[in-house]
Every structure is written in structure tokens, then in C-alpha cells.
Amino acid sequence: MAANEGVSVSREVLEELRAQNVGRLLLHAQRAYSNTAIEKLRARGHDGLGMAHTAVLPHVDLDGTRITTLAERAGMTKQGMGQLVSDLERLGYLARSVDPADRRATLVTFTPSGWQFLRDAYDVKRELEADYAAMLGPARFAELRTMLEALIEHGRERD
């Protein structure tokens, strides 16, 4: 059976449905937010960071996190996370050490440059949220946040 056999809607309708898919809209909004954030972070001297690194840094606890936990939080393999952590070590943001709670495990922690990144990321987040609030208006921005939190909670309940 050919790929388009049995399809009762036109190609144009399918394209429109795909473009208006809520999941896709959320993905595009997230990418726009992340791209702007990375641009602003690079302007603050965080030149080596890429989109993949943003999948790691938000998951590192302030007191450190095991690589297996980081991989679970980011929804990726331990090997893939290990590579990203190695990249961030090379860039000076993270360090590995023996986990004092379990000497067989490795703990990933922020370096002084990593702590500066956190401070800069906080400032960037505030700038982006202020920009969104100015664009949408404070009430609509607050409503957006509430709706996103509800969607996240709904997903957690389903899991």
C-alpha cells in the first residue's frame, strides 16, 4: 500500500492540521524561547553553549546530581547525558566528583563558571518574561503561566 493510499483528506488540509497542532505550537514556542535565551546568554559571555546543553543545566540540582538522574530527568540515555556533561566540563560549567553518599556513583556539580551561568540565566529568564508580559499584557501572561502549569500537572497525573 502506498503512503498516501486510503487518505480521505487533501494534502493541504493535512499540512494545515499539522501546523495548528498544539504540541507543535508548544514546541515552536519553546524553541523560540530557548533560542532567544541562548542568544542573550552568549551576549553575556557564555559562547560555547548550544541547545543540547540547555537540556542538561536546568536538571542539575544546586548540591549536585548523579548522571543517571540527569539522564532520567532529560529523557535521554546515560551515555548521551555523559557526553553532554563532558562537553559542559570542557566548557568549565560542570565538574564530576565521587558522590559522598555512594562512592561508586559520580556526582555532577556546578563550577564557579556554572554558578555565574545560573545567575545570568536567572536574569535572562526575567528579561524574557518581562518581554512576554509586555507583549501579552500582565493578565494574559499570568493566565498563560497558569495554563502551562495545569498542562504540566495533567501530564504528571497521567504518568
Side-chain angles (χ1 to χ4, degrees), residues 64-131:
T65 310
R66 293 180 183 176
I67 289 180
T68 53
T69 303
L70 291 172
E72 288 170 9
R73 290 177 180 174
M76 58 190 308
T77 66
K78 183 179 170 185
Q79 293 77 16
M81 180 56 71
Q83 180 59 51
L84 288 173
V85 168
S86 293
D87 287 348
L88 289 163
E89 275 185 300
R90 183 181 48 78
L91 292 168
Y93 292 102
L94 298 177
R96 296 181 211 217
S97 60
V98 174
D99 185 343
D102 179 354
R103 302 203 53 81
R104 298 169 295 169
T106 300
L107 196 63
V108 176
T109 57
F110 288 107
T111 63
S113 293
W115 283 98
Q116 185 58 52
F117 164 81
L118 288 176
R119 290 179 191 96
D120 290 341
Y122 175 76
D123 290 341
V124 166
K125 175 197 104 52
R126 289 181 54 180
E127 287 176 24
L128 288 171
E129 288 184 359
D131 184 44

Side-chain angles (χ1 to χ4, degrees), residues 20-39:
Q20 295 305 313
N21 178 295
V22 170
R24 236 181 202 199
L25 294 172
L26 290 168
L27 178 63
H28 288 301
Q30 185 272 334
R31 281 187 184 155
Y33 181 95
S34 293
N35 286 337
T36 304
I38 288 172
E39 179 182 304

